[in-house]
Each structure stands twice: as structure tokens, then as C-alpha cells.
Amino acid sequence: MLFSILLTLGFNAMGWTRFDFAFFEIWWAAIFILLGAVGLAMALWPEDK
């Protein structure tokens, strides 16, 4: 989660805020937040024993 925040801040500082994919305009911050949420879920998900 912290790494996704760092990536978001870094990309915003460099001016890379969004990119075009097909017909969509996608914000880098949205991708990094999703990756951070997935990483957080993987870290907190209980293991099967």
C-alpha cells in the first residue's frame, strides 16, 4: 500500500497523470491504488493450514 502511494506521488510529480488505452483515459493513481489494495488483501488474507 505504501509503495502504491509512493508511485502515485512520483508519477504526479513527473507529470505522468494519465494514459490512453483504447477508448479509455486511465489515471495512473487508480491503477496504483488497485495494486495497493490487492497487495494489502494478500498480506491480510488468512492462510489455509
Side-chain angles (χ1 to χ4, degrees):
M1 190 67 164
L2 293 176
F3 186 63
S4 65
I5 293 170
L6 179 66
L7 285 172
T8 301
L9 293 175
F11 272 50
N12 281 337
M14 290 189 294
W16 299 347
T17 54
R18 60 183 175 239
F19 68 96
D20 295 328
F21 180 73
F23 300 110
F24 304 105
E25 189 174 277
I26 301 173
W27 292 89
W28 282 112
I31 292 173
F32 295 144
I33 289 170
L34 287 174
L35 286 175
V38 168
L40 185 64
M42 289 174 62
L44 298 177
W45 199 269
E47 290 185 24
D48 293 335
K49 292 185 178 182

